[in-house]
Amino acid sequence: MHVWKLISFDDTNKVVRIRKETKEQVVITPKIETEYKVVLLDRNLAQYQPGSQKPLVSDPTYIQLSISQDPASPEYTKGAVLKANPANVEVFTDEACQDKLDLSKPIENAKLTGAEPYKIYLRGKTKGKFTLELKLEDPADKQFKLETAEMKLGVVELLMTPYKVDDAALDKLEVDPNQDPIDKYYTDLKNLALPDQIESGDEEKVKTGCLLHAQDGDNFGRCKLMIKKLDSDQWPDDCDDYQINLGSDNTSGEVEIWDSEWSGNRIALPFKIKVGDLKKADREIWIQGKTETDAWRDGRLDLGLDRSEGGLPKKLKTKADWMHFTVVKIQEVKVDYTTPPNRPTAFDSAAKRFFINFDPANGSNIAVGAKLSKPIKDVQIHFMLAPHKDNRKAANWGIDMPGTWPWHQITWDLKRIDKTDPKKLIHLSGKTDASGYAKKELSLSRFGGDKFQPGAYLTQDPHLAKYIHGHPDLEAKKPKLATDDTQVWRKFWFQITKAQGFAVPLPAAAVAAYERVKTIMTHDQTVEFVKATAPARTFYSKYIVEGGNSGTEIAVVGSHNKNALAAMFQEKPDQPVKNHLIMCEKQYDEGGLAGPFDVEITGLAAGSYVELDMNEPVFDPPLQGGDMIDQLYWYRDSDPATRHNIPKADAKIPQPRNDFSGSASNSVISIKVPAIAPPPAAGEKIFIVAKCEAADGPYLGESFGKHSLIVYDPTDVPDYNDTVAHEIGHGFNQTPRPGTQPDSAHIPDHPNQADRGQGNHCQENDGVDPASGATKYKCLMYDSGPMKWGLHRFCDTCHPYLLVEDMSSF
């Protein structure tokens, strides 16, 4: 550099003396150093955060600015102007990005020439490449040579897209369970393709995030996460070795990531992908719940940027993109039952039985509850009643379902209800309350013996809707299941009303017969009556009722007093289904008139007695009340038209009361022989004629409404038990008349029913006994007894009709 220097000036001669000198130039060099060559674009996810939360924004990239000069003197005192072209970034003086740098003003020299470079922070505003320029201020001094610093940088967008279950598509999925054979349904269910997960938008991934169940034995599903391909146009050169970093920042809870939806390989967190690799294609990974979060959105997956060490000290850059996650664990599934006030307990938790017959409309409804391990509110849980593999089989029903019963056609109302429609895949749902508890009312089937295991699963796990107990494939992945099955049962109570002192045992075999058809028969109380409190004509001496010589009084029950005795029944609100067993030693009904019958008295002395068999039971007083005798007279065979009345009091029941062979009889009466005047002529015959009020019977039992008349004979206890079960069976529509069974359009009529004049009964038998020629009837619902060949239970034909019968009232 040349400089002309004034030496002297001759004012007289006007001569200027100058000398050319050479002066050294000072080079001023600005410098830009960067932590990264890229700045993260903030995707403004904070706009979806609650106002109470600290906004989560992407980390800035810092740069260092400095000026150096050579030589050191003279000192350059001007500053420099920083410019981004295009203006893709905002510049701040602090890492928190609160103090914005005014780029319209030069940066002071002191900041650029201090002991440490001037550190400022860049935050991405617009994605794409830009040039950062640091240009020195002109000091208007040619001694200073000014250089300019430039750096090629980029604002880059990192994007990850979580996926969620497509609820709308799931709701449309249907597979018909009413198929024959049922295995076809299982095959269709297995082959039913679940819809692909769909993308969650930014708002959803912040406000809701990904909801997962803590993994347990590979039962629960994973959430798809796509780390999107990078846009090469946003990245300056020499960045391909940078690493995209997927990490987690959790207040509580933890997730794992895997390389496939099922099984596969677990990928350690943080997960790093080279920028160069992510420029080529999206990267698909799968998120799996590991441990529960304490609250909604307590976990966060974060997508950021990292690089190898070297150059300026660097920090991992975070929050380029992020998403919340929540991990829950269904800790317990159970039947949620509380006994209503003044009502019976429908759920026997010890025996795992649910009695469905206490409420005709809603008795099979059962609430199933699910408890999360953490008190998280508003988690949607789906509830199922998973059928046991042995439903409709002898293991659960006591017999196999008859082959003539078309299960695929039987109405849905008789089957379990845990969906809005049986064809739907997804089950009914409810949301958890503040304690993390949810419940839903479902309906058990109406088939006694059916077992169901309550289960629960999250919306994120639609594959669990396919769970089928005992199926080789569909059982592999299990929802959260209750510890035990719940079995469908029915229950009723009974009161015994009997004469005081009449030793009647509880009908244990009848109880067992009902238990076999999944019904509990429970004794409530025994009410006793005595002669003074009993209805009229209840107590008779045995010799009157049975014949023989015993004067012991026994209770006789029938049409004459059954309604009065029925009034002794004590109904109770906690026993809504209750039968009244009116016990007696004999059952007879009021009959018609027996006779007239006559007996010859020729040759008998007046005042003596003659016996006459009326061929029907005759009691005194008759069950109808009034006189035993309707007509009593004598006549001569020579003048049969002339009748001579005999006082009714002259007829009585003899004691002992036997027939003419000496066997006990209840149809014989004794009549006092009247004086015959004039005495009969030689060879003339005299006859006494009697016509009496008679009784019908004897019977073994009778059912009327909720009352049953039961005869107990201590010499035939099996028949007594048969009678109890039989008469109660009538109260439960057994044996059903054609068309009266539940779902009569599909459940066929009882194949062995018949009404032979005494109500509908079962005619199940083993054919004819060759020795006696008698039909070997088996079922306790046969017309009469005792039965020599009886099973003392409901036969296998009647059995399923008992299982499906309502039994909610008598």
Side-chain angles (χ1 to χ4, degrees):
M1 178 179 179
H2 301 289
V3 178
W4 296 96
K5 186 175 182 182
L6 177 65
I7 303 301
S8 64
F9 175 68
D10 185 344
D11 189 55
T12 302
N13 299 312
K14 308 295 183 186
V15 176
V16 178
R17 296 179 182 88
I18 61 174
R19 183 177 67 207
K20 184 171 75 172
E21 294 182 351
T22 300
K23 186 175 182 180
E24 184 177 13
Q25 191 174 34
V26 179
V27 179
I28 309 302
T29 304
K31 185 177 182 181
I32 302 174
E33 297 175 282
T34 63
E35 181 187 14
Y36 289 87
K37 296 184 71 175
V38 293
V39 181
L40 299 180
L41 177 72
D42 185 71
R43 304 193 61 254
N44 194 25
L45 297 180
Q47 66 179 307
Y48 304 118
Q49 291 180 252
S52 59
Q53 289 185 356
K54 179 181 178 181
L56 296 175
V57 295
S58 60
D59 292 338
T61 296
Y62 80 83
I63 63 172
Q64 294 185 162
L65 305 178
S66 60
I67 296 176
S68 62
Q69 68 176 65
D70 186 24
S73 179
E75 182 180 0
Y76 177 77
T77 60
K78 291 288 187 178
V81 175
L82 182 67
K83 182 179 181 181
N85 185 28
N88 289 356
V89 292
E90 295 178 306
V91 184
F92 298 87
T93 61
D94 60 321
E95 189 173 7
C97 297
Q98 300 295 315
D99 186 11
K100 200 167 186 179
L101 183 65
D102 186 353
L103 297 184
S104 66
K105 298 177 181 180
I107 300 172
E108 299 170 6
N109 179 276
K111 294 179 178 178
L112 297 172
T113 58
E116 297 292 336
Y118 182 45
K119 181 184 286 188
I120 58 176
Y121 297 86
L122 307 182
R123 171 162 286 161
K125 181 174 66 174
T126 305
K127 56 189 174 184
K129 295 176 183 177
F130 67 97
T131 300
L132 196 65
E133 177 188 78
L134 185 62
K135 188 173 183 179
L136 298 169
E137 284 186 289
D138 189 354
D141 185 344
K142 293 184 178 180
Q143 185 177 0
F144 293 99
K145 180 182 180 182
L146 305 180
E147 296 185 351
T148 300
E150 288 187 349
M151 178 74 71
K152 299 292 185 182
L153 300 175
V155 174
V156 295
E157 181 180 38
L158 307 186
L159 180 62
M160 61 180 179
T161 302
Y163 285 68
K164 64 178 182 177
V165 168
D166 188 346
D167 287 329
L170 281 172
D171 189 57
K172 295 177 182 177
L173 289 183
E174 292 187 350
V175 55
D176 190 356
N178 295 320
Q179 301 189 55
D180 185 29
I182 193 68
D183 285 349
K184 186 176 186 307
Y185 163 59
Y186 298 150
T187 299
D188 290 348
L189 186 62
K190 175 185 173 182
N191 294 336
L192 181 68
L194 298 177
D196 292 336
Q197 295 183 14
I198 58 175
E199 293 185 7
S200 291
D202 283 348
E203 182 173 3
E204 190 169 17
K205 71 184 183 184
V206 173
K207 289 185 175 180
T208 303
C210 181
L211 176 65
L212 295 163
H213 193 286
Q215 189 58 270
D216 178 16
D218 203 30
N219 287 310
F220 301 101
R222 297 169 181 165
C223 172
K224 180 179 174 181
L225 180 66
M226 192 72 76
I227 302 177
K228 303 299 286 185
K229 177 183 175 183
L230 299 175
D231 185 349
S232 297
D233 291 342
Q234 299 173 10
W235 293 79
D237 294 338
D238 303 324
C239 294
D240 281 0
D241 284 338
Y242 283 6
Q243 298 165 335
I244 304 302
N245 185 89
L246 178 66
S248 62
D249 183 10
N250 312 330
T251 304
S252 63
E254 190 176 356
V255 294
E256 297 175 337
I257 60 173
W258 294 72
D259 62 2
S260 62
E261 183 175 9
W262 296 108
S263 300
N265 300 301
R266 186 166 69 87
I267 302 170
L269 281 173
F271 171 48
K272 298 181 183 293
I273 316 169
K274 282 190 174 183
V275 167
D277 293 335
L278 198 56
K279 285 180 179 180
K280 298 174 184 177
D282 296 340
R283 181 61 185 268
E284 179 183 287
I285 59 176
W286 295 83
I287 311 168
Q288 172 178 290
K290 183 178 181 181
T291 58
E292 311 97 286
T293 53
D294 292 335
W296 270 109
R297 300 171 293 277
D298 247 12
R300 183 166 59 84
L301 282 176
D302 186 279
L303 197 62
L305 184 67
D306 201 1
R307 64 170 174 82
S308 300
E309 298 291 343
L312 293 182
K314 55 89 181 178
K315 290 182 180 180
L316 169 69
K317 298 302 171 187
T318 64
K319 299 182 286 296
D321 196 12
W322 53 273
M323 59 171 284
H324 281 128
F325 66 80
T326 305
V327 181
V328 300
K329 178 180 179 180
I330 302 175
Q331 187 173 33
E332 180 185 31
V333 177
K334 64 176 184 177
V335 174
D336 185 319
Y337 182 81
T338 301
T339 303
N342 300 316
R343 297 292 292 172
T345 297
F347 182 48
D348 182 344
S349 58
K352 303 303 176 185
R353 295 170 176 174
F354 201 93
F355 304 113
I356 67 169
N357 62 319
F358 296 161
D359 181 345
N362 303 306
S364 63
N365 290 1
I366 182 172
V368 176
K371 177 72 172 178
L372 300 180
S373 61
K374 304 286 185 178
I376 301 178
K377 187 180 180 183
D378 290 332
V379 175
Q380 186 178 39
I381 297 179
H382 295 276
F383 294 90
M384 66 164 60
L385 292 171
H388 192 276
K389 64 182 178 63
D390 289 330
N391 287 352
R392 305 187 300 281
K393 298 178 182 178
N396 287 350
W397 277 26
I399 63 166
D400 289 338
M401 179 174 159
T404 55
W405 289 33
W407 176 254
H408 62 293
Q409 294 179 354
I410 290 174
T411 178
W412 185 34
D413 291 344
L414 294 180
K415 302 174 184 178
R416 83 184 190 283
I417 298 176
D418 55 6
K419 302 176 182 179
T420 57
D421 185 287
K423 295 180 181 178
K424 293 289 187 183
L425 173 66
I426 302 300
H427 297 79
L428 294 168
S429 68
K431 288 189 175 182
T432 56
D433 60 18
S435 71
Y437 185 75
K439 68 178 179 179
K440 191 69 178 178
E441 191 169 84
L442 312 175
S443 293
L444 297 167
S445 83
R446 294 280 183 162
F447 291 91
D450 271 357
K451 288 182 179 180
F452 299 95
Q453 193 168 14
Y457 61 92
L458 301 181
T459 299
Q460 186 64 33
D461 296 321
H463 63 282
L464 296 177
K466 294 185 175 186
Y467 173 77
I468 297 294
H469 177 239
H471 190 276
D473 299 312
L474 298 176
E475 190 185 37
K477 295 189 183 300
K478 296 177 174 60
K480 180 62 179 181
L481 296 167
T483 304
D484 299 294
D485 296 310
T486 296
Q487 190 171 33
V488 176
W489 278 70
R490 292 173 172 83
K491 184 176 183 178
F492 68 92
W493 289 260
F494 66 95
Q495 171 187 316
I496 290 177
T497 297
K498 69 179 186 66
Q500 190 177 76
F502 184 33
V504 181
L506 292 177
V511 170
Y514 275 98
E515 187 165 0
R516 189 171 181 271
V517 293
K518 313 306 176 186
T519 304
I520 297 296
M521 178 179 171
T522 301
H523 178 236
D524 170 37
Q525 64 180 345
T526 296
V527 176
E528 295 187 324
F529 56 85
V530 295
K531 188 171 184 178
T533 60
R537 299 177 303 283
T538 295
F539 285 91
Y540 287 84
S541 295
K542 273 190 174 184
Y543 77 89
I544 294 176
V545 180
E546 298 179 351
N549 195 38
S550 174
T552 302
E553 289 192 324
I554 61 172
V556 177
V557 179
S559 60
H560 64 295
N561 63 354
K562 65 180 184 181
N563 289 331
L565 291 172
M568 300 178 70
F569 182 49
Q570 298 180 16
E571 298 191 71
K572 299 178 180 179
D574 62 348
Q575 297 172 0
V577 188
K578 186 175 181 181
N579 197 263
H580 186 198
L581 300 181
I582 303 172
M583 301 293 188
C584 62
E585 289 190 63
K586 295 295 178 181
Q587 179 192 349
Y588 284 90
D589 286 345
E590 301 159 283
L593 293 172
F597 295 108
D598 58 22
V599 60
E600 184 181 353
I601 61 169
T602 304
L604 293 178
S608 63
Y609 282 85
V610 64
E611 293 188 347
L612 176 60
D613 192 337
M614 301 304 298
N615 292 326
E616 293 183 59
V618 175
F619 301 159
D620 190 15
L623 299 180
Q624 295 89 328
D627 294 326
M628 175 181 73
I629 297 297
D630 179 70
Q631 294 180 16
L632 187 62
Y633 61 91
W634 63 272
Y635 71 90
R636 300 174 189 270
D637 68 344
S638 59
D639 184 13
T642 301
R643 299 177 177 181
H644 305 272
N645 289 329
I646 300 174
K648 293 181 179 180
D650 286 353
K652 64 178 182 179
I653 303 295
Q655 184 182 7
R657 192 181 193 190
N658 300 317
D659 62 17
F660 301 133
S661 66
S663 299
S665 170
N666 64 2
S667 61
V668 172
I669 65 173
S670 181
I671 305 168
K672 186 177 182 180
V673 175
I676 307 299
E684 186 179 34
K685 294 180 179 181
I686 306 296
F687 295 91
I688 290 178
V689 176
K691 190 175 183 181
C692 299
E693 298 285 351
D696 284 340
Y699 300 110
L700 294 177
E702 176 186 340
S703 174
F704 61 108
K706 61 187 67 176
H707 310 282
S708 300
L709 305 186
I710 306 296
V711 174
Y712 172 63
D713 180 353
T715 66
D716 194 351
V717 175
D719 184 63
Y720 156 68
N721 280 277
D722 285 354
T723 301
V724 171
H726 178 110
E727 298 305 338
I728 291 175
H730 280 314
F732 288 143
N733 191 37
Q734 300 303 307
T735 300
R737 294 181 183 276
T740 65
Q741 68 274 24
D743 193 17
S744 59
H746 301 110
I747 294 177
D749 293 339
H750 191 294
N752 297 319
Q753 61 78 34
D755 185 347
R756 302 195 300 182
Q758 292 181 318
N760 226 51
H761 291 88
C762 177
Q763 309 301 317
E764 186 83 5
N765 64 79
D766 280 334
V768 175
D769 177 48
S772 65
T775 301
K776 297 193 289 184
Y777 291 106
K778 301 191 300 181
C779 183
L780 58 75
M781 289 307 299
Y782 174 58
D783 300 62
S784 63
M787 287 190 293
K788 180 179 179 180
W789 300 278
L791 299 170
H792 309 301
R793 60 173 174 82
F794 296 100
C795 69
D796 288 354
T797 302
C798 286
H799 188 115
Y801 290 92
L802 269 296
L803 295 181
V804 72
E805 192 56 57
D806 184 70
M807 291 193 189
S808 62
S809 63
F810 286 99

